[in-house]
Every structure is written in C-alpha cells, then in structure tokens.
Amino acid sequence: MRVTFPHMGNLFITVKGMLQYLGVDVVVPPPSSKRTLTIGAKYGPEFACLPLKLNLGNFIEASEKGADTIVMAGGCGPCRFGYYAQIEHAILKDLGYDMKLIVLEPPQKHLSKLLAKIKELSGNSSWWHIFQSIRFGYQKAQAVDEVEMAAFRSRPRELTPGSTEKAYTKSLEMLDRADSQIALAAAKRNADELMSAVAVDNKKTVVKVGLIGEIYTLLDPFSNQYLERTLGRLGAEVDRSIYLSEWVNDHIFMGMVKGVRTRKEACEAAHPYLRHFVGGHGQESVGSAVNFARAGYDGIIQVFPFTCMPEIVAESILPEMKADYGTPVMTMIMDEHTGEAGTLTRLEAFVDLLTRKKEVKEALCK
Amino acid sequence: MKGYIGIDVGSVSINIIFIDDGGVVAEAIYLRTQGQPIAMVQKGLKKLSGRLPAGSKVRGVGTTGSGRNLAGIIVGADAVKNEITAHAIATSQVVPGVQTILEIGGQDSKIIILRHGVVTDFAMNTVCAAGTGSFLDQQAARLNISIEQFGGIALQSESSVRIAGRCAVFAESDMIHKQQMGCGLPEILAGLCEALVRNYLNNVGKGKDILAPVVFQGGVAANVGMIRAFEQALELPIKVPPYYNVMGAVGAALLAREAAAKRGYSLFKGFGISNMKYKTGSFECAGCSNLCEVVQVTEDGKVIARWGDRCGKWSNAVIEEKIS
C-alpha cells in the first residue's frame, strides 16, 4: 500500500510526518502546479470548485509516482466537499486509475468508522502507536504554524527583499525532514533561530490584515495566488482565521487542547450576525472578521473558491459587520486564473486604502 | 510648457496625457493596445513629443493600468500605481467632494467609494465580464451599429425591453430572442443598458453605500444610454467629467507630480526611448517544481527587468546588478 493525499499548503508536512511515524509508505504528490490544475480542470466537472480540481490533479500526479491508495477527508455539511472523495474516486476509476480510497469522516458523526479506517491504514498498529503518531503530526502542524506566523511578521519588515522567503523555505524543509520526536524538537529550535535571524525594521509602521474564508484557498498558496506573500511584500502584516493545528484541535481532538483559538470562539463572535451553521467555515468567517475588527486590524480579506456556498453566505453578511466596526473588507474569489496582475492590482489598491486610512486616523489622534 | 506625463496601459487602450503644473490636461493621446504595449507606449510618446511646444519639460512620469510595471520600466516612471488609486486621485481633483466613482472600461469595471477625499471601499469585477465595454462593443458589432451611435439610439426609446443581465451569454441570447420577436432597436439597446447597469450594481456595487456626488467614467461613460440607465437605477444625478476616458492617466500624472516633488528630480528617461529597441521574452525557470514563467525585458540588448518568479531568484538578480 502506497498512500497519497491531497495537497493543501503545508498540510503535507503534517500528514506525511504522521503516516511515516505509523510506518505507512507515503507518496507526497508533486507540489500543485499549472500541470496539476490543467489535469484537474480537464477531468473534473466544470461546475465543481477549485479544490476538487486540484485534488484530482494531485492524485493523478501521485499515481504517476506510484501511489495506489488515497487518504481523503470526508464531511457531512451543506458544503459539497463531503462528497468530493467519492466523486474524485469515481472519476479516477473512469479514467482507469485503480486506486483504493480511504475516507476519514469527521469524528463527531462517525467516530467508530473513523477509528476503523485509521486502524486499516496503520496496518493494525497498536492504539498507543496510533495515538503517538497523531500527536507527532499535531506537533509538526504546530511547528509549521509557528514558522508561518514568524514569516507573517517579518515579511513586511524585512530589510533585504526575499530574506524571509529563504528562511521560511529552509525552516519548512527542516521540519519536514524530522522523523522522530527528538529530531523534531531540534528542527523546531533551528527553524526558530533561522526565522528570528531575518533582519527586520522593527520601527516600520505596517498595516495589519486579517485573512478569512474557505479553508483550502486560505491555507493553500498555489490556489490563492500567494496572497500572504504578496501582501507581505506590499507592506502588510497578515494573520489567518484558520491554522492547521487549530483545525486539528477543533475537528480531530474535539477542542481538547486548551489555550488556543477555537472554532467555538469564532462562532460565538458571529452571533449577532449569523447564528447558524451554514456549511464549511461560513460562520467562522463572519466571527473571525468580528474578532479581527475588535483586535484593531486595519482590514480584512475574505478568500474563497468560485461557487463556494458557505462563503457566499458569509460574504453577504459581512457588509453589516463592516458597518458596525468600520473595518474595510475585500473579497477575492479564486478559480483557474493564474495571471497574477488582477490579484496584485486589487491587493495593492486595498493596502493603499488601509495605509491612507491609518495615516488619517493617526494624524487625527495626534 | 512644464508638466507631467501620465500613462494608462489598459487591456484595450493606452492613454497618454500631459498635465501642466496646475493639473490641467494639456494633451491626451488615445491608442489601441493591440497586444503590443511597449511599441504603443513608444509610439504614443513620440506623438506626444511632437505635439508639445518646443522647450517643454517633463518633470515626472506616472504609469497605471494592467501594463503599468512594463510601461514603468520602459519610460523610467516616478510613480507606478494601480488603477484604483489612480482613478480616485484624479477624480477627487476634478470633482472635489466626490463620494462614488463608477468606472467601466474595456475589460473591467470597478466602483470606488470615497469619504472626505479618502478611499474607504472599492470593488472590481472578479469573475464576470458582463457589464464591461467589450461586451457592448461586441453587441454593437452584432447589431451592425458603431459603438459611438449606441447611446444615441438607446435614448430614442420611450420604453425598454427587459433583458437578462446576470451573464453575458444570457444577455445575448435574450436579446436575440427579443429581436426575433420584433422589438425595436432603440428599445433593445435601452434594455441592454439597463441590464448592464443592473448587473454592475448587483455584482460590483453589491453592499456598497452609493452616495452623491456620483461620477461615471471610463470608456463606457461616453454612452449616453448608460448614463441614463444609471440615473434611473440610482435616482441620483450622474456626473461625467471631461476627460472621463483618461482619468487613470490623469491620476498617474498627479501621483508622478507628488513622487517627483518628494524625490526632487524625475526618473524619466526622456523621449529618446521611442527609438530604443525593446524586447520582451519569457522562459520557464526549471529551478524547482513551480516552473515559473519568467518575463524578461531588454533595452538595446541589456536586461532591465525581470518578473514572474515566485522566489525572486531572477528579479532580484536584476536589482542586485543595478545596485552594484
């Protein structure tokens, strides 16, 4: 059994780490590229959202590298994603790819089924070993998130253009290579050192932008046209409403880890505007926008794939929140376009708006 | 004459304007981009230098539009800015106190909301081209009328035919059906204007607080049918500024004035660039799996700019060469 899984930003570091710890033979698909997208768009249904097409491209490219089993998350929300694993599997079958599918359904609805699937995947390892590997994966996710956060801070302030990117790439490589608890602890220390060694101008005033939206396009730089990096280069410090480790805590550990942001907090903050689960992260997006506005962020950018229902609901509610807090919100819809000029224009204009607004505000306060 | 040049390199047209020290437009040149932005910028500058009185001095150049970076490299721009900021700057100067800017160009449409002279919100069409100039162009061609006549004919109508506006494909098929039913041309054109305005307000203008004074600009603002449709839909008077079709370029020139004053001199390379040889090319970098498409611009054989690489390996190399 050679196992593969879809790409979603740096998710591969966590999943690969966890599966290898379990002793599973892993095939990481090549990073999403134009080829991945071309393959996915060719075989995927036209009306499906971007994540399905990229997943499909990832699986086909992984199969070329020898993968024969797919691990994919399931779901049971109003969001179509819950059905994607089966759809993708059916498409692959029609195309003649004979791959086995293991769907991991959310634990709150299908706990026994999930446990059975994990047991199957692990080749009957002991539960203690399985627990250890999940913990190892979670620790990797945390370490990756810390590196990402450090990059968010130093990108707009770096003195040498590109120095953050270099440190960031190298740090992630180190974390990816770590294959034991001890190696991971060392890699974490080295990554931390590397990230803090980036020379920055601490006095520089930067605008702060909160990113909210659909999880895939939010976490996957290829699908969001490198939003975080571009914003950093334009002089904006960013933060995200979702980090992988937080998601794991919310959805796999059922919020057992304390002292981190949770989905519950975001949903509570959404309460004056949206009291209902609307699928995906729609409710969390509204709540996170409120939290960013309350925390004094200069602006908020919502990102989602074209036709994403939960986020369309959130988008139509955000103007109300904006009217209450006065924080500018911009929505970016991602699809197959790879030309970056349009994205850059919007981001540049948005950062201009925030900078100017901040200047006026500070001048008034003086 | 002393003044500033503003260049707006859009998908369909290139506008080059010259403003005097006071910000008044002295010359405006309109060219079709025809897929060759560099050659057209060169041609436009040559034309401009011929039109300016002898002894004129360029104190700064600004570029905007989707081709702003390319044009900025070629001319040596003092300011390179996105269209939204450029439009907002220009309109605030021409119509003081403006609160809403409706802008419809060839490929994109945008709305800019200002309060007290500061942009507070904006939106651009993201996924749909229904409601932009090219769609009107196309329909005018299909009906065998020139785009210049479009608005006048629409105004002749006393009523309008309802046409679906959500999608250019729906609009076109709806229009054909109405036409085959025997509806008159002026009514169809008026209906099309209304459909476009509806689409624009629902799509680009969604959730925006549209307050007077409202300024309508961009190439489509030449269409009187569209002006009437906007006035009816918003129940507000619509202002169309003189030079409505080159406002981006005006904004770029104004930004250049600011930037050059700050710097104390201009980076403008001079009109001589019209005679230089520029070449652009792209190659796929094989350094990693991203396979970035790197674009390279050369001036008389020397590389002056590169972009498109995600890691900065190629673009930084040019910057480092310049510094050393």
Side-chain angles (χ1 to χ4, degrees):
Chain A
M1 187 163 70
R2 304 198 68 200
V3 177
T4 192
F5 50 86
H7 266 298
M8 181 169 78
N10 293 323
L11 170 82
F12 75 96
I13 299 178
T14 299
V15 179
K16 180 181 147 195
M18 186 188 86
L19 292 176
Q20 283 183 341
Y21 199 96
L22 261 183
V24 178
D25 188 3
V26 178
V27 179
V28 178
S32 295
S33 64
K34 267 179 264 170
R35 180 170 184 263
T36 319
L37 184 59
T38 310
I39 296 173
K42 184 173 170 190
Y43 299 121
E46 181 271 331
F47 53 85
C49 67
L50 184 63
L52 180 137
K53 296 172 190 179
L54 287 172
N55 289 171
L56 204 54
N58 286 153
F59 296 151
I60 291 177
E61 285 186 317
S63 141
E64 289 165 357
K65 284 178 73 185
D68 58 20
T69 304
I70 295 167
V71 176
M72 176 81 180
C76 40
C79 163
R80 294 181 282 179
F81 177 78
Y83 198 41
Y84 277 6
Q86 284 79 7
I87 286 282
E88 287 159 3
H89 193 230
I91 293 171
L92 289 171
K93 211 170 158 191
D94 286 349
L95 291 173
Y97 292 92
D98 183 24
M99 294 173 94
K100 196 175 155 195
L101 173 72
I102 298 179
V103 188
L104 303 179
E105 295 292 349
Q108 55 267 50
K109 294 262 165 74
H110 308 275
L111 186 60
S112 59
K113 228 169 152 187
L114 175 72
L115 295 176
K117 291 282 182 193
I118 293 177
K119 197 88 181 174
E120 180 189 345
L121 194 61
S122 69
N124 276 325
S125 289
S126 70
W127 283 110
W128 174 244
H129 190 68
I130 291 173
F131 169 75
Q132 287 289 335
S133 64
I134 293 177
R135 203 176 70 144
F136 183 63
Y138 179 66
Q139 284 167 341
K140 272 209 174 189
Q142 276 182 314
V144 169
D145 289 347
E146 271 163 35
V147 170
E148 286 184 355
M149 283 183 229
F152 292 161
R153 215 195 100 70
S154 67
R155 256 188 214 122
R157 298 181 173 92
E158 64 184 11
L159 292 171
T160 320
S163 53
T164 304
E165 229 43 61
K166 262 187 207 153
Y168 173 75
T169 316
K170 221 169 154 197
S171 298
L172 292 182
E173 274 169 19
M174 290 192 304
L175 293 177
D176 184 33
R177 269 201 308 271
D179 56 1
S180 66
Q181 307 267 6
I182 299 164
L184 181 60
K188 228 170 135 170
R189 268 196 310 277
N190 290 337
D192 190 36
E193 231 167 76
L194 208 58
M195 291 310 291
S196 23
V198 176
V200 291
D201 175 3
N202 275 317
K203 290 205 183 90
K204 190 174 168 193
T205 31
V206 298
V207 291
K208 287 177 90 178
V209 177
L211 303 179
I212 60 169
E214 185 274 335
I215 183 167
Y216 189 91
T217 44
L218 200 54
L219 295 190
D220 188 63
F222 177 79
S223 68
N224 67 27
Q225 304 205 318
Y226 304 86
L227 193 61
E228 292 159 356
R229 197 185 304 177
T230 312
L231 280 166
R233 279 189 193 161
L234 289 170
E237 181 178 345
V238 300
D239 192 10
R240 271 200 318 248
S241 59
I242 307 172
Y243 287 93
L244 187 63
S245 62
E246 289 173 0
W247 186 90
V248 172
N249 181 37
D250 275 333
H251 297 268
I252 314 274
F253 299 163
M254 321 282 255
M256 272 180 336
V257 180
K258 299 294 167 209
V260 294
R261 276 192 319 195
T262 60
R263 142 163 219 279
K264 221 175 122 213
E265 281 167 28
C267 293
E268 277 165 14
H271 227 249
Y273 309 99
L274 180 60
R275 274 178 220 101
H276 235 277
F277 177 65
V278 292
H281 288 80
Q283 199 183 7
E284 286 95 320
S285 283
V286 174
S288 303
V290 171
N291 284 335
F292 280 130
R294 281 189 192 147
Y297 275 71
D298 298 294
I300 293 162
I301 294 178
Q302 182 199 22
V303 42
F304 61 85
F306 188 39
T307 71
C308 174
M309 185 274 293
E311 292 299 326
I312 291 172
V313 174
E315 185 195 5
S316 60
I317 292 171
L318 286 171
E320 233 182 287
M321 166 264 147
K322 189 159 111 187
D324 290 347
Y325 290 91
T327 311
V329 182
M330 179 168 76
T331 295
M332 313 256 314
I333 301 172
M334 299 300 168
D335 199 50
E336 286 170 39
H337 26 350
T338 48
E340 283 165 34
T343 310
L344 189 62
T345 297
R346 286 166 181 82
L347 293 178
E348 198 187 300
F350 193 64
V351 172
D352 273 355
L353 180 168
L354 302 181
T355 310
R356 184 88 182 91
K357 213 175 153 212
K358 201 179 174 110
E359 280 168 8
V360 172
K361 204 166 111 193
E362 274 163 14
L364 286 174
C365 292
K366 266 180 196 161
Chain B
M1 200 190 315
K2 287 174 185 159
Y4 303 86
I5 297 176
I7 305 174
D8 182 351
V9 183
S11 51
V12 181
S13 68
I14 292 181
N15 304 314
I16 301 182
I17 58 105
F18 187 83
I19 57 166
D20 64 17
D21 267 338
V24 178
V25 179
E27 290 292 343
I29 290 165
Y30 172 93
L31 294 165
R32 288 253 165 188
T33 312
Q34 295 175 336
Q36 326 167 36
I38 298 180
M40 287 326 223
V41 166
Q42 286 182 296
K43 195 175 157 191
L45 281 178
K46 198 170 207 166
K47 222 170 167 180
L48 179 67
S49 77
R51 280 204 211 164
L52 290 175
S56 293
K57 197 172 173 312
V58 178
R59 307 177 108 184
V61 186
T63 61
T64 186
S66 47
R68 62 185 178 280
N69 286 318
L70 188 59
I73 297 282
I74 304 296
V75 300
D78 299 291
V80 178
K81 265 288 167 209
N82 63 82
E83 321 57 307
I84 297 186
T85 307
H87 275 283
I89 296 268
T91 315
S92 317
Q93 164 107 3
V94 180
V95 185
V98 57
Q99 299 211 82
T100 309
I101 302 172
L102 315 170
E103 206 267 347
I104 306 185
Q107 283 293 333
D108 58 34
S109 51
K110 41 189 164 292
I111 186 166
I112 307 172
I113 305 291
L114 299 99
R115 296 291 181 264
H116 312 292
V118 179
V119 179
T120 59
D121 198 3
F122 69 86
M124 267 173 103
N125 60 334
T126 40
V127 280
C128 176
T132 62
S134 357
F135 179 61
L136 285 180
D137 252 345
Q138 208 184 321
Q139 295 316 315
R142 213 180 54 77
L143 295 166
N144 206 14
I145 55 167
S146 75
I147 190 71
E148 288 79 13
Q149 293 171 300
F150 192 116
I153 299 175
L155 277 197
Q156 290 164 14
S157 69
E158 278 166 16
S159 63
S160 60
V161 172
R162 186 171 165 96
I163 289 169
R166 270 200 70 199
C167 162
V169 178
F170 296 170
E172 183 160 343
S173 64
D174 215 13
M175 216 173 81
I176 294 171
H177 294 157
K178 299 278 156 101
Q179 172 198 315
Q180 307 299 60
M181 268 165 61
C183 298
L185 183 63
E187 283 73 28
I188 290 178
L189 292 183
L192 193 61
C193 290
E194 285 171 13
L196 245 66
V197 164
R198 228 173 20 242
N199 181 46
Y200 174 91
L201 293 175
N202 288 337
N203 206 334
V204 185
K206 181 167 61 186
K208 305 278 180 272
D209 198 11
I210 297 174
L211 299 178
V214 181
V215 173
F216 179 26
Q217 59 197 42
V220 176
N223 189 322
V224 283
M226 287 294 289
I227 300 174
R228 184 176 72 173
F230 265 121
E231 283 183 328
Q232 283 171 353
L234 294 173
E235 296 176 1
L236 288 170
I238 304 287
K239 276 188 195 175
V240 176
Y243 302 109
Y244 59 86
N245 53 352
V246 294
M247 292 301 269
V250 173
L254 291 169
L255 284 161
R257 184 171 74 176
E258 209 180 291
K262 225 184 217 173
R263 194 179 282 118
Y265 58 93
S266 171
L267 302 174
F268 182 45
K269 293 192 201 163
F271 286 110
I273 55 161
S274 308
N275 303 318
M276 298 269 228
K277 280 216 162 49
Y278 291 95
K279 252 179 88 180
T280 58
S282 63
F283 59 89
E284 203 167 72
C285 169
C288 74
S289 59
N290 277 336
L291 304 176
C292 298
E293 225 168 81
V294 184
V295 177
Q296 169 169 305
V297 186
T298 58
E299 182 183 80
D300 284 346
K302 191 175 163 283
V303 178
I304 53 168
R306 283 199 197 108
W307 56 73
D309 48 340
R310 304 205 197 295
C311 66
K313 174 165 119 188
W314 298 98
S315 42
N316 289 346
V318 179
I319 299 168
E320 276 159 25
E321 261 168 48
K322 273 185 190 159
I323 294 168
S324 59

